[in-house]
Amino acid sequence: MISVHDALATILETVSPLAGERISLLEATGRVLAEDVHSGREVPPFTNSAMDGYAVRHDDIQHAQTDQPVSLAVLEVIQAGAVPTCTVEQKTASKIMTGAVLPPGADTVIKVEDTEERDGQVLVKQSGPRGNNIRLNGEDIQRGQVILKQGRVLRSADIGLLASVGRGFVLVHQRPRVAILSTGNELAEVDMPLQPGQIVNSNAYTLAAAVREACGYPVPLAIARDTLKETRTALEEAVRHDVVLSTGGVSVGDFDFVKAAMDELGIQRLFWKVAQKPGKPLTFGLLRGRPYFGLPGNPVSALVCFYLYTWPALRRMAGHRKLFFPIVQVTIGEDIPKARGLTEFVRCRLTHTGTGYEAHSTGNQSSGVLSSLSLSESLVIGPAEAAILKKGTTTTAIVLDSEEFIGTDFPF
Ligand code: AMP
Ligand code: MG
């Protein structure tokens, strides 16, 4: 039996980012860049007006005031998207719209509110500094500049930057394809009536959802019955994917064939059993460099093991550098007994106090009771050596539900 720390370290040593794939920008939100992106152009691509107004020579209007306006002859109207046809000479101006190309000769834009146009002349009633209301060619991005680095998790502003330099496709790390194999004679499909002794194969759904949340593609496989032959055949199919998850069949029951099937297929077993609760029977192996997670069958054990170990592994494979759920320090809100000798992950609700968070158990902590995991926002980490989490003490909690941090109050 190994410690939770050693189990996690063992797993993360074996996984690395997947190769890149070129995808459309429209698909790229949340994906991780697998290249440094150099800009092939300048942004803005030309010097332009930041206001609707008049493009002028600053020398002409520098002394303009409301009671001493300067009169300039209007040459043309320059729309956004058009190319100016006139050069702004002494005592002339061109009317210009926001985003339109600054005409040659002009060095300043006077906003329309500070002018009055009449009979082909514009009266400028305010001056302002030279260069006012002008956006210079390349002031945002220079040609050749690295705009985004490898490892960047792409957000909306990044997607816009990429678009603005003409990159409709980007190289991102592939997302891991994760086979989900459920073992057990008792399992029935979700939409079938239950025969005596049967339960729904809920783990396949739980894990498919968790794989999606963790940035992978779930590939659910058919249920494997509890024979060595069927388990081995199913596993053989599963190991064609980037990652394999199986649930059930890793304990010491008479019909637990996962470990034997692993051995027959030559899956190198790196550990079996972790000093934790829930999820003690977790096993982990490698086949041709591909990780295999033998998750316990109990629904809570399976999902908690996924969160603790598979989640960071999938994120690393998808190129992420930040791998783990956020953690917060919490005050224990009531005495919570725990198993001495095992690190225990206690399903808890978090409540805000004036100074921080308080954790309360969500009830029955049995590894079959999924509703108490559904009710919890966090897993409070009970250290192995402790036999109780004492009310009022401080410990670390893994925050599973980041909705916890989303605001309910007006921010301003
Ligand atoms: P096992 O690890 O195979 O001994 O299973 C432990 C417990 O988890 C048993 O009560 C199983 O019925 C239950 N279980 C196993 N696989 C699943 C599954 N795919 N979905 C829901 N419960 C399961
Ligand atoms: Mg079983």
Side-chain angles (χ1 to χ4, degrees):
M1 195 150 73
I2 69 171
S3 69
V4 289
H5 177 89
D6 291 352
L8 184 58
T10 303
I11 290 166
L12 291 181
E13 269 168 24
T14 67
V15 295
S16 45
L18 297 174
E21 62 178 338
R22 206 161 284 285
I23 63 166
S24 156
L25 266 195
L26 288 172
E27 305 297 322
T29 310
R31 300 293 295 272
V32 185
L33 266 186
E35 60 174 341
D36 287 346
V37 177
H38 297 258
S39 176
R41 54 173 81 148
E42 284 147 349
V43 178
F46 50 86
T47 298
N48 66 91
S49 177
M51 288 283 183
D52 294 325
Y54 290 84
V56 300
R57 299 156 54 94
H58 189 259
D59 287 350
D60 286 344
I61 57 85
Q62 57 184 323
H63 302 301
Q65 288 175 21
T66 316
D67 52 358
Q68 271 182 320
V70 172
S71 179
L72 305 171
V74 179
L75 302 170
E76 62 174 336
V77 179
I78 312 165
Q79 233 184 310
V83 177
T85 58
C86 306
T87 297
V88 176
E89 313 273 9
Q90 241 182 16
K91 291 285 174 188
T92 69
S94 287
K95 193 168 193 188
I96 190 165
M97 305 301 139
T98 305
V101 178
L102 191 74
D107 58 6
T108 301
V109 169
I110 304 299
K111 63 179 194 285
V112 76
E113 293 88 339
D114 294 338
T115 66
E116 209 178 298
E117 189 177 334
R118 198 184 302 141
D119 305 329
Q121 293 286 122
V122 61
L123 290 177
V124 174
K125 299 189 280 189
Q126 291 285 328
S127 57
R130 191 185 302 275
N132 211 15
N133 301 324
I134 280 175
R135 304 188 284 215
L136 292 173
N137 175 218
E139 78 175 25
D140 185 359
I141 297 168
Q142 296 285 306
R143 187 190 303 263
Q145 183 186 330
V146 175
I147 55 166
L148 293 167
K149 291 206 167 130
Q150 178 175 1
R152 175 83 183 180
V153 183
L154 295 172
R155 299 184 302 140
S156 318
D158 306 330
I159 301 292
L161 272 188
L162 290 162
S164 68
V165 302
R167 288 291 304 265
F169 285 80
V170 278
L171 192 71
V172 297
H173 289 285
Q174 289 170 26
R175 301 158 100 167
R177 297 184 64 82
V178 184
I180 299 170
L181 169 62
S182 310
T183 72
N185 282 3
E186 73 278 35
L187 301 180
E189 298 295 351
V190 69
D191 43 8
M192 296 297 282
L194 292 180
Q195 303 302 322
Q198 287 192 322
I199 58 165
V200 174
N201 175 15
S202 60
N203 284 349
Y205 290 86
T206 310
L207 293 172
V211 166
R212 278 192 202 284
E213 283 178 1
C215 68
Y217 288 114
V219 185
L221 304 179
I223 294 166
R225 304 290 146 195
D226 287 321
T227 64
L228 177 56
K229 184 160 176 286
E230 205 167 309
T231 307
R232 191 191 54 216
T233 308
L235 210 48
E236 216 166 353
E237 158 75 21
V239 293
R240 292 211 283 253
H241 299 82
D242 296 321
V243 179
V244 178
L245 306 181
S246 69
T247 70
V250 283
S251 296
V252 290
D254 292 351
F255 303 96
D256 289 339
F257 292 115
V258 163
K259 294 195 306 306
M262 284 175 77
D263 292 344
E264 288 199 2
L265 288 175
I267 300 176
Q268 180 197 0
R269 197 179 318 142
L270 297 185
F271 62 77
W272 174 48
K273 285 193 177 169
V274 182
Q276 65 182 5
K277 190 180 168 196
K280 190 161 78 168
L282 173 69
T283 185
F284 178 73
L286 276 182
L287 182 66
R288 296 186 291 274
R290 293 181 178 178
Y292 167 68
F293 294 84
L295 306 172
N298 271 306
V300 173
S301 310
L303 184 54
V304 168
C305 285
F306 181 96
Y307 282 149
L308 299 176
Y309 304 105
T310 315
W311 179 281
L314 296 184
R315 284 181 64 85
R316 175 163 284 171
M317 293 175 85
H320 285 277
R321 292 170 186 181
K322 293 181 176 177
L323 304 182
F324 307 108
F325 284 99
I327 53 173
V328 290
Q329 292 306 114
V330 297
T331 306
I332 302 296
E334 72 213 20
D335 282 355
I336 303 174
K338 69 166 286 293
R340 192 194 283 281
L342 302 178
T343 303
E344 190 159 336
F345 298 94
V346 185
R347 285 152 259 173
C348 284
R349 212 163 15 90
L350 298 181
T351 51
H352 278 282
T353 64
T355 50
Y357 288 101
E358 196 169 89
H360 290 268
S361 163
T362 53
N364 191 336
Q365 298 283 322
S366 153
S367 58
V369 177
L370 195 54
S371 58
S372 59
L373 185 51
S374 167
L375 284 172
S376 66
E377 289 111 25
S378 73
L379 296 172
V380 165
I381 305 176
E385 62 280 8
I388 189 169
L389 295 175
K390 288 292 276 178
K391 178 179 167 136
T393 56
T394 302
T395 184
T396 302
I398 299 169
V399 181
L400 298 175
D401 185 359
S402 39
E403 291 280 325
E404 179 60 26
F405 294 119
I406 295 188
T408 50
D409 298 329
F410 272 39
F412 44 78

